[in-house]
Structures are given as structure tokens and as C-alpha cells.
Short mmCIF file of all heavy atoms in Angstrom, two decimals:
data_model
loop_
_atom_site.label_atom_id
_atom_site.label_comp_id
_atom_site.label_asym_id
_atom_site.label_seq_id
_atom_site.Cartn_x
_atom_site.Cartn_y
_atom_site.Cartn_z
N SER A 1 -27.78 -80.02 -114.04
CA SER A 1 -28.61 -80.32 -112.89
C SER A 1 -29.50 -79.15 -112.47
O SER A 1 -30.21 -79.26 -111.49
CB SER A 1 -27.74 -80.73 -111.70
OG SER A 1 -26.94 -79.63 -111.32
N GLY A 2 -29.47 -78.07 -113.21
CA GLY A 2 -30.25 -76.90 -112.85
C GLY A 2 -31.73 -77.13 -113.02
O GLY A 2 -32.22 -78.24 -113.16
N CYS A 3 -32.48 -76.06 -113.01
CA CYS A 3 -33.93 -76.15 -113.12
C CYS A 3 -34.31 -76.85 -114.41
O CYS A 3 -33.82 -76.52 -115.47
CB CYS A 3 -34.54 -74.75 -113.11
SG CYS A 3 -34.23 -73.85 -111.59
N LYS A 4 -35.20 -77.82 -114.26
CA LYS A 4 -35.64 -78.52 -115.45
C LYS A 4 -36.79 -77.77 -116.08
O LYS A 4 -37.62 -77.17 -115.40
CB LYS A 4 -36.06 -79.95 -115.12
CG LYS A 4 -37.24 -80.04 -114.22
CD LYS A 4 -37.63 -81.46 -113.97
CE LYS A 4 -38.77 -81.41 -112.99
NZ LYS A 4 -39.73 -82.33 -113.01
N LYS A 5 -36.85 -77.79 -117.37
CA LYS A 5 -37.93 -77.15 -118.11
C LYS A 5 -38.82 -78.24 -118.65
O LYS A 5 -38.38 -79.13 -119.35
CB LYS A 5 -37.36 -76.30 -119.25
CG LYS A 5 -38.40 -75.72 -120.16
CD LYS A 5 -39.24 -74.69 -119.46
CE LYS A 5 -40.22 -74.09 -120.46
NZ LYS A 5 -41.51 -73.86 -119.90
N ASN A 6 -40.09 -78.19 -118.28
CA ASN A 6 -41.04 -79.16 -118.81
C ASN A 6 -41.49 -78.72 -120.19
O ASN A 6 -41.42 -77.56 -120.54
CB ASN A 6 -42.25 -79.26 -117.88
CG ASN A 6 -41.87 -79.84 -116.55
OD1 ASN A 6 -41.11 -80.78 -116.49
ND2 ASN A 6 -42.38 -79.27 -115.48
N SER A 7 -41.98 -79.65 -120.95
CA SER A 7 -42.43 -79.33 -122.30
C SER A 7 -43.94 -79.48 -122.40
O SER A 7 -44.45 -79.98 -123.38
CB SER A 7 -41.73 -80.24 -123.30
OG SER A 7 -42.02 -81.59 -123.00
N TYR A 8 -44.65 -79.07 -121.35
CA TYR A 8 -46.11 -79.20 -121.35
C TYR A 8 -46.78 -78.13 -122.19
O TYR A 8 -47.96 -78.24 -122.48
CB TYR A 8 -46.65 -79.11 -119.93
CG TYR A 8 -46.11 -80.13 -118.97
CD1 TYR A 8 -45.66 -79.76 -117.72
CD2 TYR A 8 -46.06 -81.47 -119.31
CE1 TYR A 8 -45.18 -80.70 -116.83
CE2 TYR A 8 -45.57 -82.41 -118.43
CZ TYR A 8 -45.14 -82.01 -117.19
OH TYR A 8 -44.66 -82.95 -116.32
N ASP A 9 -46.08 -77.08 -122.56
CA ASP A 9 -46.67 -75.98 -123.30
C ASP A 9 -47.87 -75.43 -122.53
O ASP A 9 -48.97 -75.33 -123.06
CB ASP A 9 -47.05 -76.44 -124.71
CG ASP A 9 -47.40 -75.26 -125.61
OD1 ASP A 9 -46.92 -74.15 -125.34
OD2 ASP A 9 -48.18 -75.46 -126.56
N ALA A 10 -47.64 -75.13 -121.27
CA ALA A 10 -48.69 -74.62 -120.38
C ALA A 10 -48.07 -73.57 -119.47
O ALA A 10 -46.86 -73.53 -119.30
CB ALA A 10 -49.27 -75.77 -119.56
N PRO A 11 -48.91 -72.71 -118.88
CA PRO A 11 -48.38 -71.72 -117.93
C PRO A 11 -47.64 -72.41 -116.79
O PRO A 11 -47.92 -73.55 -116.44
CB PRO A 11 -49.64 -71.02 -117.41
CG PRO A 11 -50.67 -71.26 -118.45
CD PRO A 11 -50.35 -72.59 -119.06
N GLY A 12 -46.70 -71.69 -116.19
CA GLY A 12 -45.85 -72.25 -115.13
C GLY A 12 -46.62 -72.86 -113.98
O GLY A 12 -46.29 -73.93 -113.49
N CYS A 13 -47.69 -72.20 -113.54
CA CYS A 13 -48.44 -72.74 -112.40
C CYS A 13 -49.16 -74.03 -112.80
O CYS A 13 -49.29 -74.95 -111.99
CB CYS A 13 -49.42 -71.73 -111.85
SG CYS A 13 -50.75 -71.23 -112.97
N ILE A 14 -49.58 -74.15 -114.04
CA ILE A 14 -50.20 -75.39 -114.52
C ILE A 14 -49.14 -76.48 -114.63
O ILE A 14 -49.40 -77.64 -114.28
CB ILE A 14 -50.93 -75.17 -115.87
CG1 ILE A 14 -52.13 -74.22 -115.70
CG2 ILE A 14 -51.36 -76.50 -116.48
CD1 ILE A 14 -53.26 -74.75 -114.84
N GLU A 15 -47.95 -76.13 -115.08
CA GLU A 15 -46.86 -77.11 -115.11
C GLU A 15 -46.59 -77.66 -113.72
O GLU A 15 -46.41 -78.86 -113.55
CB GLU A 15 -45.59 -76.48 -115.69
CG GLU A 15 -45.65 -76.27 -117.17
CD GLU A 15 -44.32 -75.85 -117.76
OE1 GLU A 15 -43.33 -75.69 -117.01
OE2 GLU A 15 -44.26 -75.72 -118.98
N ASP A 16 -46.60 -76.79 -112.71
CA ASP A 16 -46.41 -77.24 -111.33
C ASP A 16 -47.53 -78.18 -110.90
O ASP A 16 -47.29 -79.20 -110.25
CB ASP A 16 -46.34 -76.04 -110.37
CG ASP A 16 -45.11 -75.18 -110.60
OD1 ASP A 16 -44.14 -75.66 -111.24
OD2 ASP A 16 -45.11 -74.02 -110.14
N LYS A 17 -48.76 -77.85 -111.27
CA LYS A 17 -49.90 -78.71 -110.93
C LYS A 17 -49.78 -80.06 -111.65
O LYS A 17 -50.13 -81.09 -111.08
CB LYS A 17 -51.22 -78.03 -111.29
CG LYS A 17 -51.58 -76.92 -110.35
CD LYS A 17 -53.03 -76.55 -110.47
CE LYS A 17 -53.41 -75.51 -109.46
NZ LYS A 17 -53.23 -75.91 -108.08
N ILE A 18 -49.31 -80.07 -112.88
CA ILE A 18 -49.13 -81.32 -113.62
C ILE A 18 -48.09 -82.19 -112.92
O ILE A 18 -48.29 -83.39 -112.74
CB ILE A 18 -48.74 -81.07 -115.09
CG1 ILE A 18 -49.90 -80.42 -115.84
CG2 ILE A 18 -48.32 -82.37 -115.77
CD1 ILE A 18 -49.54 -79.91 -117.23
N ASP A 19 -46.98 -81.59 -112.51
CA ASP A 19 -45.94 -82.35 -111.81
C ASP A 19 -46.50 -82.98 -110.53
O ASP A 19 -46.23 -84.14 -110.23
CB ASP A 19 -44.74 -81.46 -111.49
CG ASP A 19 -43.92 -81.11 -112.72
OD1 ASP A 19 -44.00 -81.85 -113.72
OD2 ASP A 19 -43.20 -80.09 -112.68
N ALA A 20 -47.28 -82.23 -109.77
CA ALA A 20 -47.88 -82.75 -108.55
C ALA A 20 -48.92 -83.82 -108.88
O ALA A 20 -49.02 -84.84 -108.20
CB ALA A 20 -48.51 -81.62 -107.75
N PHE A 21 -49.70 -83.61 -109.93
CA PHE A 21 -50.73 -84.55 -110.36
C PHE A 21 -50.12 -85.89 -110.76
O PHE A 21 -50.63 -86.95 -110.39
CB PHE A 21 -51.51 -83.93 -111.52
CG PHE A 21 -52.65 -84.75 -112.04
CD1 PHE A 21 -53.79 -84.95 -111.28
CD2 PHE A 21 -52.60 -85.30 -113.31
CE1 PHE A 21 -54.86 -85.68 -111.77
CE2 PHE A 21 -53.66 -86.03 -113.81
CZ PHE A 21 -54.80 -86.23 -113.03
N LYS A 22 -49.02 -85.84 -111.49
CA LYS A 22 -48.35 -87.07 -111.93
C LYS A 22 -47.97 -87.95 -110.74
O LYS A 22 -48.05 -89.17 -110.82
CB LYS A 22 -47.10 -86.72 -112.74
CG LYS A 22 -47.39 -86.20 -114.11
CD LYS A 22 -46.19 -85.59 -114.80
CE LYS A 22 -44.97 -86.42 -114.84
NZ LYS A 22 -43.87 -85.81 -115.61
N VAL A 23 -47.56 -87.34 -109.66
CA VAL A 23 -47.14 -88.07 -108.47
C VAL A 23 -48.33 -88.63 -107.70
O VAL A 23 -48.26 -89.71 -107.12
CB VAL A 23 -46.29 -87.15 -107.55
CG1 VAL A 23 -45.98 -87.82 -106.24
CG2 VAL A 23 -45.02 -86.73 -108.25
N SER A 24 -49.46 -87.93 -107.73
CA SER A 24 -50.61 -88.31 -106.91
C SER A 24 -51.64 -89.17 -107.64
O SER A 24 -52.57 -89.68 -107.00
CB SER A 24 -51.30 -87.05 -106.38
OG SER A 24 -51.90 -86.33 -107.44
N VAL A 25 -51.50 -89.36 -108.94
CA VAL A 25 -52.49 -90.13 -109.71
C VAL A 25 -52.55 -91.56 -109.19
O VAL A 25 -51.54 -92.21 -108.99
CB VAL A 25 -52.13 -90.11 -111.21
CG1 VAL A 25 -52.84 -91.19 -111.98
CG2 VAL A 25 -52.46 -88.77 -111.81
N VAL A 26 -53.77 -92.05 -108.97
CA VAL A 26 -54.00 -93.39 -108.44
C VAL A 26 -54.01 -94.43 -109.57
O VAL A 26 -53.49 -95.53 -109.41
CB VAL A 26 -55.34 -93.43 -107.67
CG1 VAL A 26 -55.66 -94.83 -107.19
CG2 VAL A 26 -55.30 -92.45 -106.52
N CYS A 27 -54.62 -94.10 -110.68
CA CYS A 27 -54.77 -95.05 -111.79
C CYS A 27 -53.46 -95.25 -112.55
O CYS A 27 -52.73 -94.28 -112.79
CB CYS A 27 -55.84 -94.57 -112.76
SG CYS A 27 -57.47 -94.43 -112.02
N ASP A 28 -53.20 -96.48 -112.93
CA ASP A 28 -51.99 -96.80 -113.69
C ASP A 28 -52.06 -96.31 -115.13
O ASP A 28 -51.03 -96.13 -115.77
CB ASP A 28 -51.76 -98.32 -113.71
CG ASP A 28 -51.39 -98.85 -112.34
OD1 ASP A 28 -50.85 -98.08 -111.52
OD2 ASP A 28 -51.63 -100.05 -112.10
N HIS A 29 -53.27 -96.13 -115.65
CA HIS A 29 -53.43 -95.60 -116.99
C HIS A 29 -54.78 -94.88 -117.08
O HIS A 29 -55.63 -95.03 -116.22
CB HIS A 29 -53.34 -96.71 -118.04
CG HIS A 29 -54.42 -97.73 -117.92
ND1 HIS A 29 -54.41 -98.71 -116.96
CD2 HIS A 29 -55.56 -97.90 -118.62
CE1 HIS A 29 -55.49 -99.45 -117.08
NE2 HIS A 29 -56.22 -98.98 -118.07
N GLY A 30 -54.92 -94.08 -118.11
CA GLY A 30 -56.17 -93.37 -118.32
C GLY A 30 -56.24 -91.98 -117.73
O GLY A 30 -57.16 -91.22 -118.02
N ALA A 31 -55.28 -91.62 -116.91
CA ALA A 31 -55.26 -90.26 -116.36
C ALA A 31 -54.63 -89.33 -117.40
O ALA A 31 -53.77 -89.74 -118.17
CB ALA A 31 -54.46 -90.22 -115.07
N TYR A 32 -55.11 -88.08 -117.41
CA TYR A 32 -54.55 -87.12 -118.35
C TYR A 32 -54.82 -85.69 -117.91
O TYR A 32 -55.66 -85.44 -117.05
CB TYR A 32 -55.09 -87.34 -119.77
CG TYR A 32 -56.58 -87.15 -119.93
CD1 TYR A 32 -57.13 -85.88 -120.10
CD2 TYR A 32 -57.44 -88.23 -119.92
CE1 TYR A 32 -58.49 -85.70 -120.25
CE2 TYR A 32 -58.80 -88.07 -120.07
CZ TYR A 32 -59.32 -86.79 -120.24
OH TYR A 32 -60.68 -86.62 -120.38
N VAL A 33 -54.10 -84.78 -118.54
CA VAL A 33 -54.36 -83.35 -118.42
C VAL A 33 -54.60 -82.85 -119.83
O VAL A 33 -53.82 -83.14 -120.75
CB VAL A 33 -53.17 -82.59 -117.79
CG1 VAL A 33 -53.45 -81.10 -117.74
CG2 VAL A 33 -52.85 -83.13 -116.41
N ALA A 34 -55.71 -82.14 -120.02
CA ALA A 34 -56.07 -81.66 -121.35
C ALA A 34 -56.38 -80.18 -121.32
O ALA A 34 -56.87 -79.65 -120.32
CB ALA A 34 -57.26 -82.43 -121.89
N LEU A 35 -56.09 -79.54 -122.43
CA LEU A 35 -56.40 -78.13 -122.61
C LEU A 35 -57.70 -78.02 -123.39
O LEU A 35 -57.87 -78.68 -124.43
CB LEU A 35 -55.25 -77.45 -123.38
CG LEU A 35 -55.48 -76.02 -123.86
CD1 LEU A 35 -55.71 -75.07 -122.70
CD2 LEU A 35 -54.30 -75.57 -124.71
N TYR A 36 -58.61 -77.20 -122.89
CA TYR A 36 -59.88 -76.91 -123.55
C TYR A 36 -60.05 -75.41 -123.65
O TYR A 36 -59.46 -74.65 -122.88
CB TYR A 36 -61.06 -77.44 -122.73
CG TYR A 36 -61.29 -78.92 -122.78
CD1 TYR A 36 -60.56 -79.79 -121.98
CD2 TYR A 36 -62.27 -79.46 -123.61
CE1 TYR A 36 -60.79 -81.15 -122.01
CE2 TYR A 36 -62.51 -80.82 -123.64
CZ TYR A 36 -61.76 -81.66 -122.85
OH TYR A 36 -62.00 -83.01 -122.88
N SER A 37 -60.90 -74.99 -124.56
CA SER A 37 -61.37 -73.62 -124.59
C SER A 37 -62.78 -73.66 -124.02
O SER A 37 -63.64 -74.40 -124.51
CB SER A 37 -61.38 -73.08 -126.02
OG SER A 37 -61.91 -71.77 -126.03
N PHE A 38 -63.03 -72.88 -122.97
CA PHE A 38 -64.32 -72.87 -122.30
C PHE A 38 -64.67 -71.43 -121.98
O PHE A 38 -63.91 -70.74 -121.32
CB PHE A 38 -64.25 -73.72 -121.03
CG PHE A 38 -65.50 -73.77 -120.22
CD1 PHE A 38 -66.65 -74.37 -120.71
CD2 PHE A 38 -65.54 -73.22 -118.95
CE1 PHE A 38 -67.81 -74.42 -119.95
CE2 PHE A 38 -66.68 -73.27 -118.17
CZ PHE A 38 -67.82 -73.87 -118.69
N ASN A 39 -65.82 -70.98 -122.45
CA ASN A 39 -66.22 -69.57 -122.28
C ASN A 39 -65.14 -68.63 -122.80
O ASN A 39 -64.80 -67.62 -122.16
CB ASN A 39 -66.56 -69.26 -120.82
CG ASN A 39 -67.83 -69.93 -120.38
OD1 ASN A 39 -68.66 -70.32 -121.19
ND2 ASN A 39 -67.99 -70.08 -119.08
N ASP A 40 -64.57 -68.98 -123.94
CA ASP A 40 -63.53 -68.18 -124.61
C ASP A 40 -62.24 -68.02 -123.81
O ASP A 40 -61.49 -67.07 -124.00
CB ASP A 40 -64.06 -66.79 -125.00
CG ASP A 40 -65.18 -66.87 -126.01
OD1 ASP A 40 -65.11 -67.74 -126.90
OD2 ASP A 40 -66.14 -66.08 -125.90
N LYS A 41 -61.99 -68.95 -122.87
CA LYS A 41 -60.75 -68.94 -122.10
C LYS A 41 -60.14 -70.33 -122.09
O LYS A 41 -60.85 -71.33 -122.18
CB LYS A 41 -61.02 -68.47 -120.67
CG LYS A 41 -61.50 -67.04 -120.61
CD LYS A 41 -61.72 -66.59 -119.21
CE LYS A 41 -62.18 -65.15 -119.27
NZ LYS A 41 -62.84 -64.73 -118.09
N ASP A 42 -58.82 -70.39 -121.96
CA ASP A 42 -58.15 -71.67 -121.82
C ASP A 42 -58.38 -72.22 -120.43
O ASP A 42 -58.25 -71.50 -119.43
CB ASP A 42 -56.64 -71.53 -122.04
CG ASP A 42 -56.28 -71.28 -123.49
OD1 ASP A 42 -57.14 -71.49 -124.37
OD2 ASP A 42 -55.12 -70.89 -123.74
N VAL A 43 -58.76 -73.50 -120.36
CA VAL A 43 -58.90 -74.19 -119.08
C VAL A 43 -58.19 -75.53 -119.19
O VAL A 43 -58.04 -76.10 -120.28
CB VAL A 43 -60.37 -74.39 -118.65
CG1 VAL A 43 -61.06 -73.05 -118.47
CG2 VAL A 43 -61.13 -75.27 -119.61
N TYR A 44 -57.76 -76.05 -118.06
CA TYR A 44 -57.03 -77.30 -118.00
C TYR A 44 -57.81 -78.30 -117.17
O TYR A 44 -58.21 -78.01 -116.04
CB TYR A 44 -55.63 -77.06 -117.41
CG TYR A 44 -54.80 -76.19 -118.32
CD1 TYR A 44 -54.91 -74.80 -118.26
CD2 TYR A 44 -53.96 -76.75 -119.26
CE1 TYR A 44 -54.17 -74.00 -119.12
CE2 TYR A 44 -53.23 -75.95 -120.13
CZ TYR A 44 -53.35 -74.59 -120.06
OH TYR A 44 -52.63 -73.80 -120.91
N VAL A 45 -58.06 -79.47 -117.76
CA VAL A 45 -58.83 -80.53 -117.11
C VAL A 45 -57.87 -81.62 -116.67
O VAL A 45 -57.13 -82.18 -117.49
CB VAL A 45 -59.90 -81.09 -118.07
CG1 VAL A 45 -60.62 -82.27 -117.45
CG2 VAL A 45 -60.89 -79.99 -118.46
N PHE A 46 -57.86 -81.90 -115.38
CA PHE A 46 -57.01 -82.93 -114.78
C PHE A 46 -57.89 -84.14 -114.48
O PHE A 46 -58.55 -84.19 -113.46
CB PHE A 46 -56.37 -82.40 -113.49
CG PHE A 46 -55.32 -81.34 -113.70
CD1 PHE A 46 -55.65 -80.07 -114.13
CD2 PHE A 46 -53.99 -81.64 -113.46
CE1 PHE A 46 -54.67 -79.10 -114.31
CE2 PHE A 46 -53.00 -80.68 -113.64
CZ PHE A 46 -53.35 -79.41 -114.08
#
């Protein structure tokens, strides 16, 4: 029952945002979180 580890393969703060996003998403399907490289840096699109 301890801390759960997500398997998002993302930084911890992004994992937290994903968990919050999953709860707040309005659409039943089509929502996603994706990793992109933008200006030579990793960015996450919600």
C-alpha cells in the first residue's frame, strides 16, 4: 500500500501533472500526454 510508482517514464513533476490531468480530462477518449523534442529540449504536451 506504499507509494505507487507510475510507469510514465517522465520526471516526477510531470508524473504528478499526468495523474491530475487524468482526473480532470473532460473527453472520454482522444486525450493524451505526449513527449516531444522542441528547441532541443524535452517538452510534454497535454
Side-chain angles (χ1 to χ4, degrees):
S1 64
C3 298
K4 65 178 176 148
K5 174 67 177 140
N6 294 318
S7 59
Y8 302 133
D9 192 25
C13 64
I14 295 294
E15 286 189 358
D16 294 342
K17 286 197 176 299
I18 293 170
D19 288 338
F21 182 69
K22 286 168 52 176
V23 173
S24 68
V25 163
V26 176
C27 298
D28 291 335
H29 63 283
Y32 63 83
V33 178
L35 170 62
Y36 284 82
S37 177
F38 178 66
N39 290 340
D40 296 322
K41 295 182 180 161
D42 288 345
V43 299
Y44 295 84
V45 175
F46 289 71

